[in-house]
Amino acid sequence: MSKNNSCPAKYSGIGGQAVMEGVMMRNGDKYAVAVRKPNKELAVESGEYKGIAPKPVYNIPFVRGIFSFVDSLVLGMKTLNISTEYFMEDEEGNKAEKTKADSAMSGIIMVVSMLFAVGLFMVLPYFASLFFKKYIENPQLLALVEGLIRMAIFVIYILGISMMEDIKRVFMYHGAEHKCINCLETGNPLTVENVRAASREHRRCGTSFLLYVMVISIIFFAFIQTDSRIMKVVMRIVLVPVIAGVSFEFIRLAGKSNNFLVRAFSVPGLLMQRLTTAEPDDEMIKVGIASVEAIFDWKKYLSENFDLKETGDDTEIEGLQSEA
């Protein structure tokens, strides 16, 4: 039973995402995908992903965020394909063989998706804001209007896709992913009961990251000005990696700090997650637990970061150790 929900979170280093009928978890270079197959069996596949850049690059502030953002897209597409293969198994439980053409198509889909996202969330709001130019002369105020339009499009987009039955289940698995991580980071053993009681919002979530990309873009475009409309469009494309790098630093800090101001600035992202997560059922929670256990020794983590008391087959949490 959960003993420690009121304790401050202790950073575990685990991250993840929801996939088709499953959960992907990543810990360092290791990742695992757990999927509930059509026959209700649980499949777990693990591997390594070292990233697209040399390790020292990931220690450089702001620069590391750009490469981490690309890594999340590449690994996300890879693991989404893995989950889809399991979900599309035939009646004998055989996965379809993946050809070079399939791999090429996955790459094309990822590129097209990125271009669509940039166009929808970065370029379209700029053109929409031009409608207000005859009423607003101040460029900083116009940048704010553009940012508000960008956020409105994002919220409408999330609400729209949430109507789809498959996406509703993805959001439930997203909730399972968050709950598993929150369960551990508040010092509770990874059981279905404890995970069910954990929060489904997490400060290191990709939803929060996207929200802060939009907020930070307002600041960038308010102070980086040009009279050329073409250059304004180009800037909104070229500066996406830079804005992502800055946003990454805040999300990274939010995941490790319990500072009052950091928690306060994290609130909008947590509220947004209420749209992209949903309460999972117990079977989904089991999928999330399986994904964690494939790449993370959570019992060792709890023993090193929390006071443990062994009582037969049960592990009870007594309280936080000193973090000094």
Side-chain angles (χ1 to χ4, degrees):
M1 184 173 181
S2 177
K3 298 287 185 180
N4 218 35
N5 282 334
S6 61
C7 287
K10 178 73 174 179
Y11 179 70
S12 66
I14 309 174
Q17 72 173 54
V19 293
M20 180 68 72
E21 287 299 321
V23 174
M24 182 275 284
M25 291 289 188
R26 185 182 181 187
N27 178 33
D29 292 336
K30 299 178 180 179
Y31 73 88
V33 186
V35 179
R36 184 69 66 186
K37 299 196 293 184
N39 63 6
K40 305 306 178 184
E41 290 182 2
L42 179 60
V44 181
E45 185 170 325
S46 58
E48 287 193 355
Y49 178 78
K50 297 184 180 296
I52 63 171
K55 288 299 179 185
V57 172
Y58 294 94
N59 295 322
I60 304 174
F62 301 106
V63 174
R64 61 190 169 196
I66 298 173
F67 290 98
S68 295
F69 175 61
V70 176
D71 284 341
S72 67
L73 294 176
V74 173
L75 184 59
M77 181 61 68
K78 176 183 176 70
T79 54
L80 181 60
N81 287 338
I82 292 173
S83 68
T84 302
E85 289 171 12
Y86 278 112
F87 188 67
M88 299 298 289
E89 280 185 353
D90 59 27
E91 293 181 358
E92 286 73 36
N94 299 316
K95 291 196 298 181
E97 292 187 9
K98 192 170 184 179
T99 66
K100 290 184 178 179
D102 292 330
S103 298
M105 182 58 66
S106 295
I108 292 172
I109 291 173
M110 185 176 74
V111 172
V112 172
S113 298
M114 289 177 62
L115 292 175
F116 173 77
V118 170
L120 181 63
F121 299 117
M122 301 303 290
V123 178
L124 179 59
Y126 164 67
F127 284 109
S129 70
L130 295 180
F131 173 80
F132 298 91
K133 193 171 183 179
K134 55 186 175 182
Y135 306 107
I136 302 173
E137 295 183 359
N138 186 293
Q140 283 73 38
L141 186 57
L142 197 61
L144 175 61
V145 171
E146 178 187 343
L148 294 175
I149 293 173
R150 184 172 292 116
M151 291 183 190
I153 292 175
F154 180 60
V155 172
I156 293 171
Y157 174 79
I158 295 297
L159 290 174
I161 64 173
S162 67
M163 302 295 181
M164 302 166 61
E165 197 60 38
D166 287 344
I167 298 300
K168 288 180 181 179
R169 291 189 62 80
V170 170
F171 285 175
M172 292 172 74
Y173 277 108
H174 191 192
E177 175 225 328
H178 283 189
K179 280 174 168 284
C180 286
I181 298 174
N182 280 325
C183 175
L184 291 178
E185 292 187 340
T186 51
N188 292 293
L190 201 60
T191 66
V192 172
E193 182 181 10
N194 288 345
V195 172
R196 192 189 308 121
S199 171
R200 75 172 197 257
E201 287 98 30
H202 197 283
R203 282 186 273 167
R204 286 189 283 116
C205 175
T207 303
S208 295
F209 171 78
L210 292 175
L211 177 63
Y212 295 117
V213 163
M214 296 178 195
V215 173
I216 292 171
S217 72
I218 295 175
I219 300 172
F220 268 70
F221 300 141
F223 292 98
I224 303 177
Q225 294 288 330
T226 177
D227 293 331
S228 170
R229 287 189 178 182
I230 294 177
M231 285 305 300
K232 286 183 178 181
V233 173
V234 170
M235 283 194 308
R236 278 150 182 77
I237 298 173
V238 173
L239 289 178
V240 167
V242 180
I243 295 170
V246 175
S247 303
F248 174 83
E249 294 302 320
F250 178 78
I251 291 296
R252 188 172 185 271
L253 175 64
K256 294 184 175 182
S257 173
N258 282 304
N259 178 274
F260 170 77
L261 286 177
V262 173
R263 294 202 309 271
F265 282 118
S266 297
V267 169
L270 297 177
L271 292 175
M272 185 67 71
Q273 289 173 43
R274 294 184 181 180
L275 297 179
T276 61
T277 64
E279 287 296 328
D281 59 34
D282 287 357
E283 293 304 309
M284 293 175 172
I285 289 174
K286 291 176 183 177
V287 171
I289 291 174
S291 185
V292 173
E293 291 183 331
I295 49 91
F296 188 71
D297 187 347
W298 61 266
K299 292 181 180 179
K300 180 180 179 182
Y301 163 80
L302 291 181
S303 68
E304 291 176 347
N305 294 282
F306 299 85
D307 291 328
L308 303 181
K309 179 182 179 182
E310 300 293 340
T311 56
D313 294 331
D314 298 326
T315 303
E316 295 184 357
I317 306 302
E318 297 251 311
L320 282 166
Q321 288 182 341
S322 170
E323 295 182 22

